[in-house]
Amino acid sequence: MKNIDVCITPELLHLHKIDNTIVVVADVFRATSCMVTAFAYGVESIIPVATVDECRDLQSRGFLAAAERNAQKVEGFDLDNSPFSYMDDHIRGAQVAMTTTNGTLAITKSRSAVKVLVGSFLNLDAIVRYLKSQPYDVLVLCAGWKGRFNLEDTLFAGALVERLKDTYMMAEDSTIMAWRLYCQGQDNLIQYLANSSHIRRLQRLGIQKDIAYCLQHDLYDVVPVLRGNALVNMRR
Amino acid sequence: MKNIDVCITPELLHLHKIDNTIVVVADVFRATSCMVTAFAYGVESIIPVATVDECRDLQSRGFLAAAERNAQKVEGFDLDNSPFSYMDDHIRGAQVAMTTTNGTLAITKSRSAVKVLVGSFLNLDAIVRYLKSQPYDVLVLCAGWKGRFNLEDTLFAGALVERLKDTYMMAEDSTIMAWRLYCQGQDNLIQYLANSSHIRRLQRLGIQKDIAYCLQHDLYDVVPVLRGNALVNMRR
């Protein structure tokens, strides 16, 4: 039987063996929800980069560029860090460069895995169907917040566990924890997250609309996968 | 208002500022439950050490010594790693040296805090009363399992949050998570932990009695605190 495991922050990734595992990276508020939305609206590829400077460099070479730090857009870039900024015809076929506080680092840290996928509630069902078709164990890597645990990414991990629990083993306590939290909160995730640190941070920025959007399940048949240094959509 | 925060494994302790904080270390299966029981039965002091060799060295200098690795007693030491082995008159007044897989490391990593306390369900109420009398923020440091998240220590953190939530702020998501898990499981912690990795590990060793014992709340008016390199009981 295949295993499903949950790593609650990239700071703990070194404790996991991932060389025979598919890693699903989740940064649902908002990096991976942006990426999934971008692919749903026809983006060709997304290069996750570590620094704002690398992002600027790719922008100068014709990429559409998006940079976020501390939940805010960095000045001088093309795309906002809201998924709604990707819902536009001008991004069809574009190559995007993106750097974010937590999500892009989690992706680059996972490079040694069999495959690195990008997950969010928006493409949960597409991820589930793809994983079930594969022979590998799964590790959900929660991007967290600056190395720490966060609720929203762990709830995504729990949602994935809930859908895979009949065909995968929950070997570790973090998997059980994520699954139990999701079971407890799934009927009203917005309410369940109301006191979380990131929601409070985002609410100060006035983006409740983004939060509600990012918590919708199964909107898009999109499976972003890392190929070389770029994410592409396997469903294209 | 004072803050209560939860660090779910010593691997993440570097992300927390603890210089103005009381750290409560929890390794409820079984290191900190053993320590609390030892003090309840009159032990004078406990020196937590990192290695089996250091433990052996102190044993040769007259300490009662206890060494555990991978949930099993190491050969040649005086005390078992079961709390029941401390329920004996011969330990009254003794100096103990102890090394365990996770708990003793968590204690030594916390040295820079205002105070380092040892917590377990067994002395939960004593810890609560002491913390309320102090002006400092609180960090619960879960010992975890070899760097990873575990359920039982996080449930202890949640129990502490439940008792302090009216007078402390829950600033971080890990605090909310621990508290929600405890609320979900508190009516039957044994059942709630039945699938956890450490329970499965311990059940293979046949120590269900230890598990049931370690989950009892408020048995002892004991507050172990680190003074220099030794734990002593503040309640003596």
Side-chain angles (χ1 to χ4, degrees):
Chain A
M1 204 171 182
K2 294 180 279 183
N3 265 303
I4 182 160
D5 199 355
V6 175
C7 181
I8 53 176
T9 146
E11 290 276 322
L12 299 178
L13 187 60
H14 63 283
L15 301 171
H16 295 263
K17 290 184 82 155
I18 58 173
D19 51 319
N20 204 31
T21 297
I22 297 179
V23 172
V24 181
V25 175
D27 183 7
V28 301
F29 295 154
R30 294 168 287 173
T32 60
S33 296
C34 281
M35 290 169 173
V36 168
T37 302
F39 284 118
Y41 280 79
V43 154
E44 176 73 27
S45 65
I46 301 174
I47 299 189
V49 296
T51 66
V52 173
D53 281 346
E54 287 174 84
C55 209
R56 202 170 276 127
D57 181 50
L58 287 170
Q59 185 181 32
S60 73
R61 289 152 56 191
F63 285 71
L64 284 181
E68 170 264 319
R69 282 296 178 273
N70 298 314
Q72 307 219 47
K73 180 185 177 183
V74 182
E75 277 309 302
F77 286 94
D78 307 301
L79 290 154
D80 201 347
N81 49 331
S82 163
F84 291 101
S85 76
Y86 292 83
M87 296 177 183
D88 192 304
D89 272 350
H90 83 280
I91 69 160
R92 186 164 299 280
Q95 292 179 297
V96 172
M98 189 187 291
T99 184
T100 71
T101 310
N102 307 293
T104 49
L105 176 70
I107 292 168
T108 52
K109 266 195 162 183
S110 308
R111 281 180 191 286
S112 64
V114 171
K115 282 196 173 63
V116 182
L117 308 183
V118 162
S120 71
F121 289 106
L122 304 171
N123 68 332
L124 179 59
D125 184 59
I127 292 282
V128 166
R129 280 184 284 117
Y130 179 76
L131 293 174
K132 283 185 172 176
S133 75
Q134 297 290 309
Y136 302 105
D137 291 340
V138 172
L139 177 70
V140 188
L141 175 56
C142 301
W145 182 259
K146 298 185 177 180
R148 293 200 191 188
F149 174 91
N150 80 16
L151 274 171
E152 64 271 19
D153 297 334
T154 307
L155 286 170
F156 167 80
L160 198 55
V161 173
E162 168 65 17
R163 301 230 185 151
L164 294 176
K165 68 179 193 296
D166 294 335
T167 45
Y168 286 73
M169 282 258 299
M170 286 187 233
E172 296 290 332
D173 280 11
S174 51
T175 316
I176 298 171
M177 177 271 289
W179 177 59
R180 290 220 175 114
L181 283 186
Y182 181 73
C183 292
Q184 195 179 42
Q186 65 179 318
D187 291 338
N188 192 341
L189 287 177
I190 294 179
Q191 178 67 33
Y192 195 73
L193 285 165
N195 297 317
S196 76
S197 59
H198 201 53
I199 289 275
R200 283 182 277 127
R201 207 175 291 122
L202 291 174
Q203 275 172 345
R204 283 196 298 273
L205 301 168
I207 42 183
Q208 288 87 338
K209 202 174 80 164
D210 284 19
I211 294 166
Y213 171 80
C214 293
L215 294 174
Q216 289 177 279
H217 291 42
D218 310 325
L219 285 193
Y220 304 124
D221 185 24
V222 162
V223 180
V225 61
L226 192 64
R227 292 244 169 87
N229 65 347
L231 295 160
V232 295
N233 179 12
M234 270 199 274
R235 285 280 178 265
R236 275 192 80 221
Chain B
M1 204 171 182
K2 295 180 280 184
N3 265 303
I4 181 159
D5 198 355
V6 175
C7 180
I8 53 177
T9 147
E11 290 276 321
L12 298 178
L13 187 60
H14 63 283
L15 301 171
H16 295 263
K17 291 185 81 157
I18 59 172
D19 51 319
N20 204 32
T21 297
I22 297 178
V23 172
V24 181
V25 175
D27 183 6
V28 300
F29 296 153
R30 296 169 283 172
T32 60
S33 297
C34 282
M35 290 169 174
V36 168
T37 303
F39 283 118
Y41 280 80
V43 155
E44 176 73 27
S45 64
I46 301 174
I47 299 190
V49 296
T51 66
V52 173
D53 282 346
E54 286 174 84
C55 209
R56 202 169 277 127
D57 181 50
L58 287 170
Q59 186 182 32
S60 73
R61 290 153 55 192
F63 285 71
L64 285 182
E68 169 263 320
R69 283 297 179 273
N70 298 313
Q72 308 221 45
K73 180 185 177 182
V74 182
E75 277 309 301
F77 286 94
D78 308 300
L79 291 153
D80 202 345
N81 50 331
S82 162
F84 291 101
S85 75
Y86 293 84
M87 296 177 184
D88 193 304
D89 271 351
H90 82 281
I91 69 161
R92 185 163 299 280
Q95 292 179 298
V96 172
M98 190 188 291
T99 183
T100 70
T101 311
N102 306 291
T104 49
L105 176 69
I107 292 168
T108 51
K109 266 195 163 185
S110 308
R111 282 182 190 285
S112 64
V114 171
K115 283 197 172 65
V116 182
L117 308 182
V118 163
S120 71
F121 290 107
L122 305 170
N123 68 332
L124 179 58
D125 184 59
I127 293 282
V128 166
R129 280 184 284 116
Y130 179 76
L131 292 174
K132 283 185 171 176
S133 76
Q134 297 290 308
Y136 302 106
D137 291 340
V138 171
L139 177 70
V140 188
L141 175 56
C142 301
W145 182 258
K146 298 186 176 180
R148 294 201 191 187
F149 174 91
N150 80 15
L151 274 170
E152 64 271 20
D153 297 335
T154 307
L155 285 170
F156 167 80
L160 198 55
V161 172
E162 169 64 17
R163 301 231 184 149
L164 293 175
K165 67 180 193 296
D166 294 335
T167 45
Y168 286 73
M169 283 258 300
M170 286 187 233
E172 296 290 333
D173 280 12
S174 51
T175 317
I176 298 171
M177 177 271 290
W179 177 59
R180 291 220 176 114
L181 283 186
Y182 181 72
C183 292
Q184 196 180 42
Q186 65 179 315
D187 290 338
N188 192 342
L189 287 176
I190 295 179
Q191 178 68 31
Y192 195 73
L193 285 165
N195 296 316
S196 76
S197 58
H198 201 53
I199 290 275
R200 283 182 278 127
R201 206 175 290 122
L202 291 175
Q203 274 170 345
R204 282 196 299 273
L205 300 170
I207 41 183
Q208 288 87 337
K209 201 175 81 164
D210 284 19
I211 294 167
Y213 171 79
C214 293
L215 294 174
Q216 290 178 279
H217 292 42
D218 310 324
L219 284 194
Y220 303 124
D221 185 26
V222 162
V223 180
V225 61
L226 192 63
R227 291 245 168 86
N229 66 345
L231 295 161
V232 296
N233 180 12
M234 268 198 276
R235 284 279 177 268
R236 274 192 80 221

